[in-house]
Each structure stands twice: as C-alpha cells, then as structure tokens.
Amino acid sequence: MPLILFNKPYQVMCQFSAHPDRETLADYLNIPGVYPAGRLDADSEGLMLLTEDGELQHEISHPKRKQPKIYLVQVEGTPDAASLERLRNPLDLGDFVTQKSEVKHVQEPAWLWPRNPPIRERKNQATSWLTIKIAEGKNRQVRRMTAAVGLPTLRLVRIAIGPFALDTYPLLPGEWKIVGPEELQRKKLTKN
C-alpha cells in the first residue's frame, strides 16, 4: 500500500496517538504502519498524504524535493492588488522570510464542503477566498502570511500536494483513498 490520500477534518490532530480531547488520525484510519508525509495543524482541513514507504515519504516531504502545496484560504477582508503582491513576494515573518508564492483571488469552489462548526461571521466584515501555492511549509505559515498583510485567515483547506488534488480525488472530510504503484509511476513519484 504505497500512498493514502486523506481529507483531514477540522480539529483532528495529525497523530495516531491518543489526544485527551480531540480526534486523531487513528479515529479515521485503521491501517498499521503508515505515517504522515507532512502535517496540518488542528485548525486546518484538507489533503494529507500518508505512507508506510520511507523513500516515498522522503520524496514528498524532504526540503529539497518538497512537492508544492496549494491552500484554499478564506480571509477576513477584501484583498487589494498591493496585499496580493506582498503575499506573492518573499515576506518577512520575523523568524524567517518566505519564498515566492503563487496567489490568486478566487470564488469559493462549488465542491467545497461546509465546515463543522461554521466559521464565525461578522455582518459588517466581508470575507474573500484566495489560493496560495507554496513549496515550503513552515508551521502555520499561510496563516502568518495572510495576517502579515492584514487579511486574517478564517478557514484554511489544503487542496493539493504535488500531483494530488481534492478536485481530482474528491474526498469528503474523514474519507481516504489508496493510490496504487501504477498511479504513482504516472505521477512520477517513484523511480521505477
């Protein structure tokens, strides 16, 4: 079983060990020997890749080979051209400077599931959707990037890692799919 695609629900911890008050990966995946190739914080949702293959995990998550990741981000406010340009260029977050990223102002996709619980809404504050594509993935990086330009993140959904995307592999929160060796070869993630 080379690779598992999993749509992590909101508030689920990216660990298999028990957590005192939150669900973990073990509540959704009863597959021994797999581990995440990258993580998502509890407040984030979306695509995770899990594997039992150390070489494949390395290929996906090693800093020199990291697969690009795309996030769908609901932010508070409406981005202007200047804030979008700041997000696209290296951004000093204090403890590190981000690499360039691809950022687009988009409409909420029709295929996106409702979050449970829903985000907080303020009647006098508009919200907007962005896609942000990054090659790195530091702790809470996307949230820190949007906050740095005055657009606090309300909802964060990872929708793609490398060649795998939730619009191609439609999984609802908590669902998973096994990707076989032939498909990994087609996606150029194996050496065979």
Side-chain angles (χ1 to χ4, degrees):
M1 179 177 357
L3 188 67
I4 297 169
L5 280 55
F6 175 62
N7 187 347
K8 186 190 90 63
Y10 179 69
Q11 292 298 301
V12 170
M13 301 298 291
C14 282
Q15 63 192 46
F16 283 97
S17 56
H19 189 275
D21 55 318
R22 290 197 179 152
E23 291 182 311
T24 69
L25 298 176
D27 292 299
Y28 295 90
L29 297 157
N30 186 15
I31 304 170
V34 298
Y35 47 95
R39 304 175 77 74
L40 280 174
D41 62 45
D43 295 334
S44 300
E45 312 163 65
L47 186 61
M48 289 185 64
L49 303 180
L50 298 98
T51 183
E52 60 188 10
D53 182 332
E55 277 188 45
L56 181 57
Q57 192 274 344
H58 181 78
E59 192 65 30
I60 293 166
S61 61
H62 189 276
K64 291 185 178 178
R65 294 189 181 97
K66 272 200 174 173
Q67 298 291 324
K69 294 171 274 310
I70 302 174
Y71 297 86
L72 180 63
V73 189
Q74 185 178 18
V75 295
E76 188 172 86
T78 304
D80 58 17
S83 59
L84 292 174
E85 197 58 29
R86 284 186 64 206
L87 285 170
R88 289 181 184 115
N89 288 302
L91 188 59
D92 187 347
L93 297 179
D95 54 341
F96 73 97
V97 176
T98 66
Q99 297 173 6
K100 285 190 167 216
S101 59
E102 294 178 28
V103 179
K104 296 177 186 165
H105 189 189
V106 298
Q107 295 297 312
E108 179 180 358
W111 55 262
L112 184 64
W113 57 89
R115 194 183 83 178
N116 184 18
I119 64 154
R120 65 173 170 77
E121 290 195 36
R122 296 185 346 201
K123 292 184 192 225
N124 61 349
Q125 182 65 53
T127 66
S128 304
W129 290 89
L130 306 172
T131 57
I132 300 178
K133 181 179 181 179
I134 59 175
E136 53 200 339
K138 308 238 187 230
N139 188 36
R140 299 182 75 81
Q141 178 177 336
V142 171
R143 291 176 188 281
R144 293 176 64 196
M145 288 170 64
T146 64
V149 301
L151 298 166
T153 294
L154 300 173
R155 185 174 182 194
L156 183 65
V157 181
R158 184 163 55 199
I159 59 173
I161 302 171
F164 301 102
L166 287 176
D167 61 351
T168 306
Y169 298 91
L171 299 168
L172 292 174
E175 293 182 344
W176 53 274
K177 172 186 177 36
I178 295 172
V179 175
E182 303 82 20
E183 191 164 357
L184 289 176
Q185 284 180 339
R186 282 196 307 276
K187 303 281 188 187
K188 299 188 179 357
L189 283 178
T190 60
K191 295 177 183 170
N192 298 335

